[in-house]
Amino acid sequence: MSHAYSNLTVFIAMRYAWGGGVMSYVSKLALAGLVLSITVLVLVISVVNGFDRELRDRVLALLPHISISSDQGIPANHALMLTKLPVASGLESLAPYIQSTGLVAANGKIQPVEMTGIEASSYGRVSRVGDYLRAGTLAGLEEKNFTIIIGAKLARQLEVGIGDDLVLMLPNSQLSIAGAIARQRRFEIIDIFESQSQLDGSGVFVSLHSAQLLLRMRGQIHGFQGRLTDLFSTFYARQFLQRAVATERLTVRSWMSTHGNLFQAVAVQKVTMFILFSFLVAVAAFNLVSGLMMMVEQRKSDIAVLKSMGADNRSLLKVFCCLGLLLGGGGTLLGLSLGVSLALFLPWLYTQLAGGFGLDLMSQYFISYLPVDVQLADLITVGVISTALTLLASVYPALQATRLLPSRILANE
């Protein structure tokens, strides 16, 4: 009996929601606002999630998480390389490096770069740059001196490819009679990496031995770069490294000092956008109040008949709360579906517009494409919040329906 009664309640709510007449258009208009607001919320959150994912998986996977360095140089056989890294340090591995800013020149074009001298066997454990090489591996740098790997964007700017030569010029701290003379050397391009990040336009890699020869740092390196087992365990890693070199003038830096503000900005932006667009969803949900109030006014004769037949206030509350859930739930599902569809379509649309109109809208960001990451947890959160708000919005019209007096309504019919 109770099951049949519940079915009758749902049937009456569905009839009110989708029945003909002027009020159906009012409810559908309010529903359209809810669908639009949820769609926009899903789109915005998915794009912010995409930036967060790419910052973690692409940028911070390419860049070492932590470094310990000295401008004067340290011995390449430093005791730190021989130290076994304890689990408590949060460090996965260390790799020696030499780093310097400079210029590269080819085909009459000059571009600023950051040169990194690496040991191929160990650098692959602190950076995933080798995963983005077009032709070979980082080990190719060790086969011959003065070979170089450059980014894809840099290669396009210089109009060079694999097998071509370029000139690498680095600043010289020593002065001659003629003044400061840059150290320069011709390098052969043996590979190109394409990570679709900022590194593609400014990063070049040479072997550690070539960097030592070019900078005259025989047996010396600038320091070590490391990878963390947990991206956020920088505190323990810094403590371990600072204790290990306590008697030396070495500087310890983590990714938090270079990209920490950006990471926090993305996280804050996600929370801010979610809150702001949740208010938009709330406004759209409470727009249903006006539609439901007008529906109560139009259906007051039906309400009076139901009351005369024995329907109590609780039954009427269920009918109109069910009506609000039907409208809100339907709008939520439609908004989520539309938002997910548009979010998945957005990267392709951006690529077509950027290519068709020659736009580079992502030039100010750390990646060159529009990332999107639709997360199930966010969809569930949006769905729950939207449904709860629509249920809350339907309570007042439902209470108004229970206050109608059948005798007055039917007397005027």
Side-chain angles (χ1 to χ4, degrees):
M1 184 69 179
S2 61
H3 181 68
Y5 185 76
S6 299
N7 288 339
L8 180 61
T9 300
V10 175
F11 174 77
I12 295 173
M14 291 180 65
R15 185 173 181 276
Y16 285 176
W18 309 112
V22 177
M23 295 317 301
S24 63
Y25 294 104
V26 174
S27 61
K28 289 174 184 176
L29 186 61
L31 185 64
L34 181 63
V35 170
L36 182 61
S37 60
I38 291 176
T39 300
V40 173
L41 176 58
V42 171
L43 273 175
V44 170
I45 294 302
S46 297
V47 172
V48 176
N49 284 338
F51 277 99
D52 180 74
R53 180 196 64 195
E54 296 307 301
L55 181 58
R56 287 172 178 263
D57 298 343
R58 189 175 295 269
V59 177
L60 295 180
L62 290 173
L63 301 177
H65 296 163
I66 198 165
S67 66
I68 179 168
S69 61
S70 170
D71 293 336
Q72 287 73 37
I74 61 175
N77 58 351
H78 191 277
L80 194 59
M81 277 299 292
L82 306 176
T83 304
K84 184 178 180 181
L85 301 175
V87 176
S89 70
L91 285 166
E92 185 177 312
S93 57
L94 290 173
Y97 80 100
I98 293 175
Q99 201 164 64
S100 176
T101 57
L103 299 172
V104 288
N107 298 319
K109 299 179 174 61
I110 299 177
Q111 292 292 330
V113 296
E114 184 172 63
M115 180 210 74
T116 305
I118 62 172
E119 184 182 64
S121 58
S122 60
Y123 196 75
R125 296 195 294 268
V126 301
S127 171
R128 286 177 49 198
V129 68
D131 296 345
Y132 299 97
L133 296 180
R134 290 181 178 177
T137 64
L138 294 175
L141 293 172
E142 310 285 355
E143 297 176 1
K144 187 170 63 172
N145 287 333
F146 304 115
T147 54
I148 193 169
I149 295 174
I150 68 173
K153 184 178 180 180
L154 184 61
R156 290 192 295 269
Q157 291 170 337
L158 297 176
E159 298 179 358
V160 293
I162 297 175
D164 293 335
D165 291 340
L166 56 75
V167 176
L168 174 62
M169 294 174 284
L170 301 179
N172 191 344
S173 58
Q174 297 179 351
L175 297 177
S176 66
I177 298 176
I181 301 176
R183 291 175 180 155
Q184 58 182 357
R185 180 77 190 210
R186 186 172 297 275
F187 281 76
E188 178 189 352
I189 301 171
I190 61 167
D191 214 332
I192 294 174
F193 65 89
E194 187 169 11
S195 64
Q196 292 186 302
S197 69
Q198 285 182 339
L199 192 63
D200 290 357
S202 60
V204 298
F205 295 90
V206 302
S207 70
L208 196 66
H209 186 246
S210 296
Q212 288 172 331
L213 291 176
L214 187 59
L215 292 174
R216 299 177 184 175
M217 293 180 63
R218 186 182 182 92
Q220 296 282 307
I221 57 175
H222 280 148
F224 300 95
Q225 292 177 330
R227 186 168 188 83
L228 302 173
T229 53
D230 178 5
L231 197 59
F232 299 99
S233 64
T234 57
F235 175 76
Y236 299 105
R238 288 176 64 93
Q239 277 194 328
F240 168 76
L241 291 175
Q242 286 170 347
R243 285 197 303 267
V245 295
T247 59
E248 303 175 61
R249 294 183 178 179
L250 299 180
T251 304
V252 179
R253 295 187 182 90
S254 71
W255 68 271
M256 292 293 290
S257 62
T258 55
H259 290 80
N261 290 338
L262 179 60
F263 187 85
Q264 291 175 354
V266 172
V268 170
Q269 189 178 38
K270 178 179 178 179
V271 174
T272 303
M273 290 295 181
F274 192 91
I275 293 173
L276 291 177
F277 282 96
S278 292
F279 282 121
L280 182 62
V281 174
V283 170
F286 280 94
N287 279 340
L288 291 174
V289 173
S290 58
L292 290 173
M293 286 298 296
M294 295 177 69
M295 194 173 294
V296 168
E297 183 66 24
Q298 186 199 35
R299 300 292 182 177
K300 62 183 180 180
S301 298
D302 296 349
I303 296 170
V305 171
L306 288 172
K307 277 194 167 186
S308 300
M309 294 175 64
D312 56 8
N313 290 340
R314 184 178 179 183
S315 302
L316 291 175
L317 277 172
K318 286 183 178 180
V319 168
F320 281 93
C321 286
C322 184
L323 175 59
L325 280 177
L326 284 173
L327 293 174
T332 299
L333 288 176
L334 188 57
L336 290 175
S337 301
L338 188 58
V340 171
S341 300
L342 290 177
L344 297 177
F345 175 71
L346 203 57
W348 179 87
L349 180 62
Y350 168 79
T351 302
Q352 297 302 313
L353 291 176
F357 293 97
L359 302 175
D360 190 10
L361 302 177
M362 304 297 291
S363 59
Q364 301 302 316
Y365 295 90
F366 53 87
I367 51 177
S368 59
Y369 57 96
L370 183 65
V372 170
D373 183 20
V374 180
Q375 296 185 3
L376 180 61
D378 289 335
L379 299 181
I380 293 174
T381 303
V382 172
V384 170
I385 291 175
S386 176
T387 304
L389 288 173
T390 52
L391 178 60
L392 184 62
S394 63
V395 171
Y396 180 73
L399 289 174
Q400 290 298 104
T402 63
R403 293 170 184 169
L404 295 176
L405 299 176
S407 58
R408 290 186 180 180
I409 297 170
L410 295 177
N412 296 324
E413 290 295 325

